[in-house]
Amino acid sequence: MGIPTWLQRTALTVSACTLIVSGGSFAFAPLAEASAADSAAQAATKTEADSPIRVALFGNLGKSTQNRASQVTLTTEGVLSVKSRSASGQQTLGLKQARFSLDTYQVKLFESKDKAAAQAVLKRAQASNSAQMIVIPRRGATFYGVYAGSYATQAEAAKALAGYQADGTMKSLTASYSSMVAGPNYLQAGTYASQAEANAARNKLLDANIDAYTVTIEGDGAHHTAVWAGQAGTQDELAKLKASAQQALPGAAVRDVQAQGALIHMVEDIGSGTVARYEVFGSQKWAVTSDAPIKVTERSGRSYRGLMELSSYNQELALVNELPLEQYLVSVVGGEIYPNWPEAALKAQAVAARTFVLYQGNKFGIANVVDTTLSQAYNGIEKETESVRKAVETTAGEVLKSDGKLIEAIFNSNAGGMTAEASEVWGGSLPWAQATKSPDEGAEAGKQTWYYVALEEGKAGYVREDVVQLDSARDAAGFQIARPLQDNTNIRKFPAVQSDVSPVASVKKNTKLIVMDTVKESNAYSWIRGPYTATEVLNMIQSKTKTKISGPLNQLSVVDRGPSGRVTKIEANGVPIEVSYPDAFRGVFGGLPSTMFDIVSTKDFSVMASDGKVVNQTGISGKQAVGGTGAGQSLKNGTLVVDGEGKGRLLNAETMYIFKGKGYGHGIGMSQWGAKGLADQGYDYEQILKYYYKNVELVQR
């Protein structure tokens, strides 16, 4: 789960929400809105008990959210219907699938009856931009129009047009056709009693070489069918079309559009067939419903309950899934933890997730939450299970409060044995969040053992235990010897298989590997990242922070920790690394799982002097290891050293840094793996919640 509400850096303003209509088999009520008189302390109660939850699947919601889409394709086993959020009733589309996008400025590159020629233009355009091919019925024939891009302004579209005109290949493909800017500028050419009548009027305009569309608009609280002509790049171009449009439709009143918003009906050729396409014009919000779940192709093909709302938000397409709170929670709990975990852990997660989402209010402007761990993981119906549904139903309406107010019940995957206080993660204070021991070790259960091994050429890495065999005898230094069972056995940078990370080495069968340590495969409880060269770490610091470091990186050390042991301050060459808050260190160093870590330098080591005192050393140049006979041996790159616990590592002339840590996530609030551990010990869900959230009450809303 991400940064809490009180630390959100980008505030979003939300306008008043419209009434929500019933859809499918679910009844919806108005989404509550805070008044101007609401105080910050009352923000946690913005969402009413019977309100639906609004989840943003796509949208331009600020820097912290990255899920954007220029189009969405909705599919259902039932039938899709659509309505303006400010109109009563709804219109059936009579379709199982439809595609939606914003009506923006585009470049109309080409139009022809020659489909192959249009497809060639489309392919060229798609090589560098988004583009689609629209089916146009004109003069009794089928034409194909190719439109490229989506631009916020006419000037941006005009610049793109100039680029296409300068493209020799595109110029040869479009031949004599005059490409142009197409924009959201229209004339309304009448309203009609049926879509068939509107299509007939539209066709007269198309036959007169005027681009025109059947549209659905809202007026006086009802839906109407109209015809819009133009799709002009500028208002001046639109004005020149008016006389021609009136001449093509002498019985219609051709005038400025009579709606703040519309759905523009199109048909897109997708190569394998066609799909109905609807472009969202203006400020109106449109709700798409079905009597069956709706699949969103562009959101990993996931299917969702409730309705889908499409709108323009911050000049981009927004898709919001709206559904009842308790149905939302069934998916969230199933997405956050394993459904086969103990019932008490599932119930604790249900209460925490319910409390968290209700606390959010309209945090994201058009939505309460997003569908990622920035809020809570929400993957639609694919994460619904009977065990989770039971946990949600048996805790229905239960929330956590402190001093009569909802808390922002933040949770994390694995606290690494100790939960965090807010001060050591994001700064500030959360009274209910205290450093608390957490039984998180269960995340290691079933994970394979890996050996940390040294190769004779001085390299080191990790190999999984099941691909090697241990020799019966140890070497002279007492280390075990492992030998690969097959050729091309990979030695990994850290104890996990990653297809996108090259191995340290690939060795032959029976190659001698010195086992320096034994660890579990990196998991949510314990993990290793690296090794990184000093140059790599320096680049991380200077690209992710404002810290200025002169010269090469010679020293990187943790200088302060919080109550739970999490890192709060790090120095590089003695210079404090500047971050907005301690948890940001995770992002600085390549996305570390948590801030509960140690930094190991392969250039540093300790020796015990004759008086028994430990002396820290940096670098191996000019240093010797002296044996019991007094004979000295110069330290060199790849020298194997052993600590007091019998674990070995290699010294390097070049500085390399390894991060060894515990936990996964920020560590504040309930640890999900810890909740399972407590449930395994016999704790019930209320005991688990009060173990992690201090001084709270479990109450019905």
Side-chain angles (χ1 to χ4, degrees):
M1 182 184 297
I3 297 173
T5 297
W6 53 266
L7 195 68
Q8 186 74 3
R9 294 293 196 260
T10 54
L12 298 174
T13 302
V14 62
S15 59
C17 294
T18 56
L19 289 179
I20 300 166
V21 71
S22 296
S25 59
F26 313 119
F28 301 95
L31 181 63
E33 174 94 2
S35 70
D38 280 339
S39 66
Q42 294 170 321
T45 60
K46 287 180 181 177
T47 307
E48 296 294 335
D50 56 353
S51 297
I53 293 302
R54 293 170 57 82
V55 188
L57 304 183
F58 291 112
N60 178 11
L61 306 179
K63 293 181 180 179
S64 61
T65 55
Q66 302 300 320
N67 292 331
R68 310 271 185 87
S70 60
Q71 67 178 27
V72 294
T73 309
L74 306 182
T75 308
T76 181
E77 293 298 319
V79 177
L80 296 174
S81 295
V82 68
K83 74 174 298 293
S84 162
R85 299 310 296 266
S86 59
S88 60
Q90 59 186 14
Q91 288 190 339
T92 178
L93 299 179
L95 302 165
K96 290 185 178 295
Q97 184 178 73
R99 181 168 289 174
F100 298 83
S101 61
L102 287 190
D103 186 43
T104 59
Y105 287 94
Q106 296 177 290
V107 175
K108 185 176 182 181
L109 287 168
F110 189 63
E111 182 182 320
S112 173
K113 290 188 292 185
D114 187 339
K115 185 175 181 179
Q119 287 175 323
V121 174
L122 178 69
K123 183 178 180 180
R124 179 67 178 177
Q126 288 176 332
S128 60
N129 207 335
S130 60
Q132 54 276 335
M133 188 162 70
I134 303 301
V135 177
I136 304 170
R138 209 188 288 275
R139 295 184 295 278
T142 300
F143 284 70
Y144 301 92
V146 179
Y147 293 80
S150 176
Y151 305 96
T153 65
Q154 190 275 342
E156 291 176 12
K159 182 178 179 181
L161 172 60
Y164 284 118
Q165 290 173 331
D167 180 350
T169 301
M170 182 64 77
K171 188 174 181 179
S172 66
L173 291 172
T174 56
S176 60
Y177 185 82
S178 296
S179 301
M180 67 192 76
V181 172
N185 300 298
Y186 300 93
L187 294 167
Q188 187 161 307
T191 57
Y192 300 86
S194 69
Q195 186 165 320
E197 290 181 20
N199 287 345
R202 175 206 64 189
N203 290 347
K204 290 180 180 179
L205 292 166
L206 290 172
D207 291 348
N209 288 324
I210 299 172
D211 286 338
Y213 302 92
T214 298
V215 299
T216 298
I217 60 176
E218 181 272 331
D220 298 325
H223 295 109
H224 304 278
T225 302
V227 171
W228 284 7
Q231 200 178 28
T234 66
Q235 285 293 322
D236 287 343
E237 293 173 8
L238 186 65
K240 295 175 183 178
L241 288 174
K242 189 170 185 179
S244 299
Q246 190 66 75
Q247 184 177 355
L249 283 176
V254 179
R255 54 183 178 175
D256 294 341
V257 298
Q258 303 296 298
Q260 294 298 311
L263 276 184
I264 301 172
H265 301 208
M266 300 179 180
V267 175
E268 180 182 354
D269 188 296
I270 57 174
S272 59
T274 60
V275 63
R277 186 183 189 97
Y278 297 88
E279 294 200 343
V280 177
F281 170 94
S283 59
Q284 194 64 263
K285 294 180 173 65
W286 298 87
V288 179
T289 61
S290 173
D291 53 357
I294 297 175
K295 182 176 76 173
V296 183
T297 299
E298 291 77 10
R299 203 72 187 102
S300 303
R302 294 171 183 152
S303 294
Y304 302 86
R305 301 190 188 280
L307 63 82
M308 294 292 174
E309 180 188 273
L310 296 126
S311 66
S312 174
Y313 190 74
N314 290 333
Q315 298 185 318
E316 293 185 29
L317 181 68
L319 179 67
V320 174
N321 179 209
E322 188 172 275
L323 75 166
L325 167 63
E326 300 299 319
Q327 287 189 343
Y328 162 78
L329 290 174
V330 175
S331 176
V332 166
V333 175
E336 285 285 353
I337 62 177
Y338 295 102
N340 62 349
W341 278 8
E343 183 180 20
L346 296 178
K347 288 181 176 181
Q349 182 65 58
V351 174
R354 183 183 295 110
T355 307
F356 176 85
V357 70
L358 290 172
Y359 183 95
Q360 302 307 304
N362 292 317
K363 178 176 179 179
F364 292 97
I366 58 171
N368 310 115
V369 289
V370 294
D371 65 338
T372 68
T373 53
L374 183 66
S375 296
Q376 303 181 118
Y378 171 62
N379 298 320
I381 65 174
E382 71 178 51
K383 292 299 182 178
E384 296 179 354
T385 66
E386 198 53 42
S387 61
V388 169
R389 190 183 308 281
K390 180 182 177 183
V392 172
E393 290 177 351
T394 55
T395 63
E398 293 185 354
V399 295
L400 296 171
K401 287 187 176 182
S402 178
D403 294 328
K405 302 180 182 70
L406 288 171
I407 68 168
E408 188 171 17
I410 299 167
F411 48 86
N412 61 90
S413 175
N414 191 300
M418 181 74 74
T419 66
E421 294 187 3
S423 61
E424 59 183 319
V425 178
W426 297 309
S429 174
L430 291 171
W432 47 263
Q434 300 175 15
T436 302
K437 289 184 178 180
S438 182
D440 298 305
E441 301 88 346
E444 288 191 325
K447 298 297 182 182
Q448 291 207 266
T449 297
W450 289 64
Y451 297 129
Y452 183 46
V453 299
L455 283 70
E456 290 186 340
E457 61 264 36
K459 293 182 179 180
Y462 294 86
V463 64
R464 208 169 60 203
E465 65 170 345
D466 61 332
V467 299
V468 296
Q469 181 175 323
L470 297 178
D471 284 1
S472 57
R474 295 173 178 258
D475 70 0
F479 288 106
Q480 285 190 309
I481 303 299
R483 298 184 186 276
L485 297 172
Q486 302 290 337
D487 287 340
N488 301 317
T489 296
N490 288 324
I491 310 300
R492 302 286 181 178
K493 292 184 69 174
F494 53 88
V497 176
Q498 286 190 308
S499 59
D500 58 342
V501 177
S502 298
V504 173
S506 184
V507 297
K508 294 181 179 180
K509 181 179 179 180
N510 290 325
T511 299
K512 180 180 179 181
L513 305 173
I514 300 173
V515 179
M516 298 182 288
D517 196 4
T518 301
V519 300
K520 284 288 187 179
E521 181 172 296
S522 282
N523 56 82
Y525 177 68
S526 61
W527 48 267
I528 296 171
R529 295 292 186 271
Y532 302 112
T533 66
T535 299
E536 287 174 329
V537 173
L538 182 61
N539 288 339
M540 290 177 186
I541 296 169
Q542 295 186 331
S543 65
K544 300 290 181 62
T545 76
K546 296 180 180 179
T547 307
K548 303 299 180 184
I549 301 172
S550 58
L553 181 65
N554 296 314
Q555 174 265 333
L556 183 72
S557 58
V558 174
V559 295
D560 203 2
R561 296 180 184 272
S564 73
R566 284 168 170 77
V567 172
T568 57
K569 292 182 182 179
I570 299 177
E571 289 183 355
N573 289 355
V575 178
I577 298 175
E578 300 176 34
V579 290
S580 300
Y581 44 86
D583 200 55
F585 282 124
R586 293 164 61 189
V588 172
F589 298 111
L592 299 178
S594 79
T595 54
M596 188 182 285
F597 60 79
D598 296 315
I599 302 172
V600 178
S601 168
T602 59
K603 198 175 182 179
D604 298 338
F605 60 99
S606 300
V607 297
M608 184 174 290
S610 57
D611 59 2
K613 294 182 179 180
V614 175
V615 180
N616 296 324
Q617 299 284 329
T618 298
I620 58 178
S621 178
K623 296 183 174 65
Q624 287 188 329
V626 179
T629 62
Q633 179 181 350
S634 296
L635 297 181
K636 60 183 179 179
N637 199 45
T639 297
L640 175 60
V641 296
V642 62
D643 64 15
E645 297 179 354
K647 297 178 180 180
R649 66 181 178 90
L650 300 183
L651 297 179
N652 291 87
E654 178 188 15
T655 304
M656 305 284 284
Y657 293 103
I658 301 170
F659 295 81
K660 294 185 176 182
K662 289 186 175 181
Y664 195 97
H666 48 68
I668 294 178
M670 184 178 72
S671 165
Q672 292 166 327
W673 276 100
K676 178 185 182 300
L678 291 176
D680 288 339
Q681 295 175 30
Y683 283 62
D684 65 28
Y685 76 100
E686 183 173 358
Q687 291 172 321
I688 292 171
L689 291 167
K690 291 183 176 180
Y691 183 90
Y692 286 108
Y693 303 105
K694 306 300 183 182
N695 304 313
V696 298
E697 294 179 291
L698 178 64
V699 299
Q700 278 285 340
R701 299 172 60 203

